[in-house]
Amino acid sequence: MSVRQWQERFRSGDFNSRDLSVQCEAGWYYWFCRDEALAGRLKKLSSVVLGIKAPFILDNYCVWFKNNCPMAGPLYDDVRFEPLSGERDGKYFVVSLDSPHEQTKWVLYTERYGYDAPEFGSGNVWDVVRYINSMAAELEHNAQPDFLLEKQAVSDYIFRHEWKRNIPIYRDGEHKFSYISRKDRQLRKVTVTWSLEYLPAGYTAEQAEQHGTLYVFGTEQPIPVELPGKEESVQKKERER
């Protein structure tokens, strides 16, 4: 059923029963908790689904629920928003509640940002709901927000300094990101700007490291763009072979 239909049925009390068949109809797909606990867990997650106002999500998405059992820590739940038809095409997203692995109570993971780190998180569910409603137009029109290009620049910055890919990149706000260095396990904070005319607070132009058309500012000493990185050297050797 669509998100709009789910909202109508939840508000009418269709999913109140603890009966397992009712909870499966509500969208529970996989769980480790007791069957009788699903109705209560659904009620906690319902605030995310009920807060959706964007017509595109209401009429073009369905929801399903999963109770997760991490290797360490308590069970936690998430709700998954999936297109009703066609390919996911970067439109799939997940909201988790009280995950022991996250820094905030409510966390949003999106297919477009990747699953290495959340795109958004907050201790307040309504912040997450507002964010989801605001990104609906981007999902509908396949519009890529600027922070996806910024994240790629940060990924290239990390590789240039650590020669590693697939390091989780956390989004800390507008143009701000962070990651855990593999060199010393310390948190590194970086800021991205689209022009040297707009320097981040506390930085000078000399601290900028260019990646494509973007500039990354971090704690590492900038490496000039003209110097080939390890990845480029490896590719060159492979071509020579």
Side-chain angles (χ1 to χ4, degrees), residues 155-205:
S155 177
D156 294 341
Y157 170 91
I158 294 172
F159 183 83
R160 190 178 295 178
H161 289 276
E162 306 212 7
W163 296 347
K164 292 183 182 297
R165 295 287 187 186
N166 301 320
I167 293 179
I169 299 172
Y170 298 90
R171 187 168 175 242
D172 298 334
E174 290 295 319
H175 315 301
K176 297 180 182 297
F177 301 84
S178 61
Y179 67 96
I180 302 294
S181 172
R182 293 294 188 267
K183 294 186 290 187
D184 55 13
R185 305 302 301 174
Q186 296 298 307
L187 183 70
R188 300 279 200 276
K189 290 185 175 293
V190 295
T191 303
V192 181
T193 184
W194 292 67
S195 172
L196 291 180
E197 295 180 9
Y198 304 99
L199 294 175
Y203 289 102
T204 64

Side-chain angles (χ1 to χ4, degrees), residues 91-108:
K91 295 180 171 65
Y92 179 81
F93 60 94
V94 181
V95 179
S96 67
L97 169 62
D98 289 330
S99 168
H101 304 300
E102 305 298 344
Q103 299 178 345
T104 57
K105 186 178 183 68
W106 295 91
V107 169
L108 170 69

Side-chain angles (χ1 to χ4, degrees), residues 4-239:
R4 189 186 299 276
Q5 292 170 323
W6 192 97
Q7 290 180 348
E8 293 170 351
R9 294 195 60 187
F10 183 89
R11 291 188 175 112
S12 68
D14 287 0
F15 305 139
N16 289 347
S17 173
R18 292 186 179 184
D19 184 85
L20 182 58
S21 63
V22 171
Q23 292 305 309
C24 288
E25 186 177 4
W28 283 104
Y29 177 76
Y30 204 75
W31 60 91
F32 293 87
C33 64
R34 294 178 296 106
D35 294 350
E36 308 81 59
L38 293 176
R41 290 179 175 272
L42 183 73
K43 187 174 182 180
K44 292 180 180 179
L45 288 171
S46 66
S47 55
V48 176
V49 187
L50 295 175
I52 301 301
K53 305 297 183 185
F56 178 71
I57 298 177
L58 285 174
D59 298 320
N60 294 280
Y61 277 78
C62 62
V63 290
W64 53 284
F65 305 88
K66 187 172 182 289
N67 173 249
N68 303 276
C69 182
M71 294 295 291
L75 302 178
Y76 71 97
D77 303 315
D78 64 49
V79 52
R80 301 170 182 232
F81 290 77
E82 186 165 2
L84 278 168
S85 61
E87 299 295 328
R88 288 181 177 180
D89 195 27
K91 295 180 171 65
Y92 179 81
F93 60 94
V94 181
V95 179
S96 67
L97 169 62
D98 289 330
S99 168
H101 304 300
E102 305 298 344
Q103 299 178 345
T104 57
K105 186 178 183 68
W106 295 91
V107 169
L108 170 69
Y109 279 85
T110 67
E111 188 175 19
R112 66 182 188 178
Y113 190 80
Y115 302 119
D116 57 324
E119 180 175 321
F120 184 80
S122 175
N124 188 328
V125 64
W126 301 116
D127 291 338
V128 177
V129 166
R130 280 191 291 270
Y131 188 93
I132 293 173
N133 285 319
S134 69
M135 75 178 189
E138 296 169 344
L139 297 175
E140 181 177 7
H141 300 291
N142 296 315
Q144 297 297 300
D146 289 343
F147 64 76
L148 295 183
L149 294 176
E150 294 175 353
K151 181 189 178 185
Q152 182 58 54
V154 174
S155 177
D156 294 341
Y157 170 91
I158 294 172
F159 183 83
R160 190 178 295 178
H161 289 276
E162 306 212 7
W163 296 347
K164 292 183 182 297
R165 295 287 187 186
N166 301 320
I167 293 179
I169 299 172
Y170 298 90
R171 187 168 175 242
D172 298 334
E174 290 295 319
H175 315 301
K176 297 180 182 297
F177 301 84
S178 61
Y179 67 96
I180 302 294
S181 172
R182 293 294 188 267
K183 294 186 290 187
D184 55 13
R185 305 302 301 174
Q186 296 298 307
L187 183 70
R188 300 279 200 276
K189 290 185 175 293
V190 295
T191 303
V192 181
T193 184
W194 292 67
S195 172
L196 291 180
E197 295 180 9
Y198 304 99
L199 294 175
Y203 289 102
T204 64
E206 290 71 27
Q207 294 173 281
E209 183 172 296
Q210 187 170 4
H211 290 272
T213 59
L214 302 181
Y215 300 89
V216 181
F217 296 79
T219 57
E220 304 283 1
Q221 185 68 25
I223 297 176
V225 68
E226 63 268 17
L227 293 180
K230 181 179 180 181
E231 186 175 51
E232 294 168 329
S233 299
V234 171
Q235 292 176 347
K236 181 178 180 181
K237 289 180 180 178
E238 290 179 346
R239 288 195 298 268

